[in-house]
Amino acid sequence: AAAVEERQLKPIYEALDTGNAKSALTHCNKLLKKYPPPPAPGTVTTGPPHPSTTPRQIVTALKILALVRGAKLDEASVLCTTLLAETPTDETVLSTLSHSLKPLDRPKDLVNMWVSAWTRAAKDAEDLKKKAKTAKASDADVAAKMQLVEELGAQSFMAMVKTGHWVMAQSTAFKLYRAFAPPKGQEVDAGYPALRYLYWSVMSAIMQSEYPNPPPPVPVLVMIPPPESVREYEANRKKEEEEDRKLLAEEGAATNGDAPRPVGSKLTPTRRKKRTLALTLAQRFIETSVQMKDGNLVGDEAVIRGMSVERFWLWADVLRRIAQAGDEDNGPSPDNRWLVPNNLMCTQLATAAAASSAHVEELRADIAKKANDWKRECEGMALRLSKGDRNWKTFITFFDALFFFLPNAGETPNPDEYPCLPQEPVEVKKEEKAEQNGDAQLAEEPKEPAAPAAKVPFTVEETRKFVQKIAESDDEKFPKGERAGHLGVLELEKRLRKSAFASGDSPNFVDLIISYSKLFASKPVLPEDILPYLLELEDGEERSKWDAYVE
């Protein structure tokens, strides 16, 4: 772009920005007359490009954009084909041309344009490295060329993402990681810039599991012969149907002619196979950033390089998708395939990530429920609440896990199989009298841990006391400010009423709602808070009591 004077291009950019495509087209035609015409199609050029080639390509790309903005798509498509035949490599030309290829519905050309420039730049970089060994090129030139290669590779990946070519995107991202990652053994625990390409590859593999094929072409009028994009799409569809027939035949032969219908899966056999391969590949890639010690992948011995909260969520989501796909394709497994993601979400790394991200916490709770880890989930949420966590999601998860046990609790639940109240550490001080300088003083010996206290199961009464204690402690710390504890009292009683656990000594539900309304009457969110509980009031005495309070 530096080869073209700014004053020459400025009128074109201004015309395009203001929507005056006709004026932009006029300026482009005037500038193109100053440059020699492009070589004829099929002409083989040798040696370095002519100095005027790049400026002419920039103006031509702007002309194509002006034709597209002026709705002259046929003329723009012909000129675009001519320019692509020259295989431009200048980044300004490529970025300008990319704005025109999408409206022209040429996604494959958009991808091939960036890939061709990336491949050519990578080849030039290799030649430059060879010259650097013989002192014919400086290290600064090599570094600048490698930076260009990386930029073009990233643009190629973005073009594949925009057009839905996830298989190519995954392969491209991993090539970038292999090309720019530090040598093995020289990585740092904090991560390195090229690590992002590995996660690009993981995200592309996840999308590949959902969309293994590029999107279909834009519907157009009947064309004879059909466009290349339509022919390619139809060929891929027929190939997938043929693979489906083969896989169904293999499944039928394995089950004596009765192929089992996948449980909950609406995908064809080929799609299920592609999904499994893509998710397995994503798991392998994301675990590449984990340095294992003694084969321990998940645990305190694992060193996670560059593992941010978002990347950890991605790791857990991959494991969740693998377990979910297994359940959909083959039905629930006796050994519970959800234990693998659940073990990851029980680590200290997961606890720290969930504390700072609601998305990780939501994913952790979902995985724990699928793994039937209700006891740990209930006790973990109770411990959080006792330590001051007032996130409403924590209350909901606690109640969901607790009411999984309540129907079968009995009068004396087994503490080893039933969630129990969080135990606070208790220490016993041994004190004895000592004489020093004639005065009696207490000399404190080292503290010794007391015997573990008896576990108290979360019965209905103990749960009421626990939640009420939370509400009372909030009143002491935040007078008329914290609503979660009091809302938890209402939520508990609502669930007990629905589960038929309410008894004669249960607190009056209407009185609880009225007390909450008086306490937080100044809060604008009050109607939204109490609406779910008002809907639970029975017609008659409860409804009349509430109406009398409102009046």
Side-chain angles (χ1 to χ4, degrees):
V4 184
E5 294 185 9
E6 183 179 356
R7 61 180 181 83
Q8 293 178 320
L9 294 179
K10 187 175 180 180
I12 302 176
Y13 287 120
E14 290 179 350
L16 290 173
D17 291 339
T18 56
N20 193 346
K22 185 175 181 181
S23 176
L25 189 61
T26 303
H27 287 293
C28 289
N29 289 330
K30 290 180 179 179
L31 282 179
L32 286 175
K33 293 179 181 179
K34 300 180 180 180
Y35 300 107
T43 304
V44 179
T45 58
T46 58
H50 193 274
S52 63
T53 299
T54 299
R56 177 183 52 77
Q57 291 178 346
I58 294 175
V59 179
T60 304
L62 290 172
K63 180 180 178 180
I64 295 172
L65 184 59
L67 291 171
V68 171
R69 299 280 178 85
K72 300 179 180 180
L73 300 184
D74 293 338
E75 186 178 351
S77 182
V78 173
L79 190 59
C80 188
T81 302
T82 304
L83 182 57
L84 289 175
E86 301 181 39
T87 61
T89 57
D90 185 78
E91 194 170 354
T92 305
V93 179
L94 299 176
S95 60
T96 305
L97 196 56
S98 62
H99 290 292
S100 304
L101 289 172
K102 186 175 182 179
L104 293 174
D105 190 27
R106 301 177 63 168
K108 193 172 182 180
D109 288 334
L110 175 63
V111 173
N112 292 339
M113 174 186 71
W114 286 105
V115 172
S116 177
W118 177 35
T119 305
R120 187 169 177 178
K123 184 178 179 181
D124 294 342
E126 291 297 326
D127 295 339
L128 203 59
K129 287 181 180 179
K130 294 179 181 179
K131 293 181 180 179
K133 293 180 180 179
T134 59
K136 292 184 179 180
S138 63
D139 294 339
D141 295 337
V142 175
K145 195 66 176 180
M146 291 302 297
Q147 184 177 0
L148 176 62
V149 172
E150 185 175 6
E151 178 64 26
L152 290 175
Q155 291 289 351
S156 301
F157 171 82
M158 294 302 175
M160 297 167 190
V161 169
K162 291 177 182 178
T163 56
H165 289 73
W166 299 111
V167 178
M168 297 175 63
Q170 178 270 316
S171 176
T172 299
F174 192 68
K175 286 180 181 178
L176 286 169
Y177 173 72
R178 293 287 298 272
F180 296 97
K184 189 175 182 180
Q186 299 182 15
E187 306 97 338
V188 293
D189 292 344
Y192 40 89
L195 192 61
R196 60 178 178 172
Y197 300 132
L198 186 63
Y199 286 94
W200 287 7
S201 182
V202 173
M203 289 185 284
S204 300
I206 293 176
M207 296 302 298
Q208 179 185 343
S209 68
E210 297 287 341
Y211 309 100
N213 300 323
V218 177
V220 294
L221 298 177
V222 178
M223 297 179 63
I224 302 176
E228 182 182 356
S229 58
V230 176
R231 295 198 301 269
E232 183 179 0
Y233 178 78
E234 291 296 328
N236 290 335
R237 185 178 60 82
K238 292 179 181 179
K239 182 179 179 181
E240 187 171 300
E241 291 177 354
E242 182 64 26
E243 292 178 356
D244 287 340
R245 285 192 287 268
K246 291 181 180 179
L247 290 175
L248 288 174
E250 293 175 0
E251 291 180 3
T255 56
N256 297 325
D258 297 327
R261 182 177 180 84
V263 180
S265 178
K266 298 181 181 180
L267 300 179
T268 62
T270 304
R271 289 293 180 89
R272 297 201 306 269
K273 183 178 179 181
K274 290 181 178 180
R275 180 177 64 176
T276 302
L277 292 175
L279 290 177
T280 305
L281 187 64
Q283 180 185 6
R284 190 196 315 171
F285 282 161
I286 202 168
E287 291 176 354
T288 302
S289 62
V290 181
Q291 178 184 353
M292 291 187 296
K293 294 183 180 180
D294 300 328
N296 187 7
L297 180 62
V298 178
D300 296 336
E301 297 295 326
V303 178
I304 314 296
R305 298 192 183 93
M307 184 62 73
S308 61
V309 173
E310 293 78 11
R311 291 173 177 177
F312 180 81
W313 180 89
L314 188 65
W315 185 8
D317 186 58
V318 169
L319 298 181
R320 179 191 66 81
R321 287 172 179 267
I322 292 175
Q324 185 173 352
D327 286 349
E328 291 179 358
D329 296 346
N330 306 311
S333 174
D335 55 353
N336 197 343
R337 55 177 61 89
W338 287 93
L339 292 179
V340 176
N342 189 52
N343 289 339
L344 173 64
M345 301 308 287
C346 291
T347 60
Q348 293 294 331
L349 181 65
T351 303
S356 59
S357 173
H359 297 291
V360 177
E361 171 58 25
E362 185 177 354
L363 181 61
R364 186 206 61 75
D366 179 61
I367 290 176
K369 292 176 183 178
K370 296 292 182 58
N372 294 324
D373 196 4
W374 296 104
K375 185 175 185 295
R376 187 205 299 263
E377 190 72 358
C378 183
E379 293 178 346
M381 295 301 103
L383 182 60
R384 289 190 188 182
L385 293 174
S386 64
K387 290 185 176 180
D389 186 351
R390 295 298 179 264
N391 190 333
W392 184 241
K393 186 68 178 179
T394 306
F395 278 92
I396 295 300
T397 306
F398 168 68
F399 290 135
D400 288 343
L402 178 62
F403 277 82
F404 178 81
F405 292 94
L406 278 181
N408 303 318
E411 296 181 359
T412 56
N414 184 2
D416 296 331
E417 299 178 357
Y418 195 84
C420 300
L421 288 166
Q423 299 293 327
E424 297 181 359
V426 180
E427 295 180 343
V428 177
K429 298 180 181 179
K430 287 187 176 181
E431 299 178 351
E432 63 179 10
K433 293 183 179 181
E435 294 184 0
Q436 184 177 7
N437 298 328
D439 298 329
Q441 297 181 350
L442 294 178
E444 184 179 325
E445 289 187 356
K447 299 176 182 179
E448 295 181 0
K455 295 182 178 179
V456 181
F458 266 114
T459 59
V460 174
E461 293 303 322
E462 292 297 336
T463 305
R464 279 198 177 108
K465 293 178 183 179
F466 176 74
V467 179
Q468 186 63 35
K469 184 179 178 181
I470 291 176
E472 292 174 356
S473 64
D474 288 347
D475 289 340
E476 296 176 359
K477 296 178 182 179
F478 316 100
K480 297 186 179 181
E482 182 57 59
R483 307 172 359 253
H486 294 276
L487 209 57
V489 174
L490 292 176
E491 181 67 23
L492 174 62
E493 294 302 327
K494 185 190 82 168
R495 295 193 179 213
L496 289 175
R497 286 160 61 95
K498 280 189 172 182
S499 303
F501 284 104
S503 57
D505 56 348
S506 300
N508 188 282
F509 193 52
V510 182
D511 290 342
L512 291 177
I513 299 177
I514 294 175
S515 175
Y516 184 89
S517 301
K518 292 179 179 179
L519 192 59
F520 301 104
S522 61
K523 300 286 185 181
V525 75
L526 176 63
E528 184 178 349
D529 281 351
I530 63 176
L531 179 60
Y533 309 107
L534 292 177
L535 296 176
E536 298 296 324
L537 295 180
E538 297 179 356
D539 294 335
E541 183 180 354
E542 289 186 342
R543 186 71 64 180
S544 300
K545 189 174 182 180
W546 171 255
D547 292 340
Y549 165 73
V550 173
E551 292 176 359

